[in-house]
Amino acid sequence: MCWVSFVNPTYGATVLRCYGTGSVCASADDSKNSSSPTDTLNQEIIINSETLSKPLLLEEYSRELINRIKQRVSNFQLLEKCDTDIKLTGSPTQTICYQAQENGANIKYLLAVSLHVDRAYYLIYRSELSQYDRSLNSAKNVFRSFQIVEP
């Protein structure tokens, strides 16, 4: 069991709890400010964790994660330019930026990955491409406030 918490009123939640594997999601609903149908896609922060089946280096886990993502999304494009000033839980963190298509929309992702004991934690900020920069700083603040609280 793990407890994951973050504080950011922008996303309408002060504490998220994650039990075992799975994901929890916080959304920022910007549909009130929409000017076109594609603008109604909410920005999201998704928190995932999984138990590692064997010890891995952060780079190894990140490569495996990228390969899994490539199999699940359409038009995957790994982006060379990516924010690297993010640390999850104060631990070494790898950031991965990519674009893909979902339901005909171009989506941009910022993924931050960290390993802690026998678990991998990764946070994903996703948004429609034209809206990505609008909430990027808030998403980075959420990432930076991420903590693992041991029971």
Side-chain angles (χ1 to χ4, degrees), residues 61-78:
Y61 180 80
S62 296
R63 277 193 304 275
E64 286 183 13
L65 189 57
I66 289 170
N67 287 332
R68 285 189 279 169
I69 293 168
K70 283 181 183 178
Q71 294 173 4
R72 288 194 330 242
V73 299
S74 299
N75 297 333
F76 176 89
Q77 179 185 359
L78 189 63

Side-chain angles (χ1 to χ4, degrees), residues 87 105 107 124:
K87 294 269 188 239
I107 309 298
I124 304 166

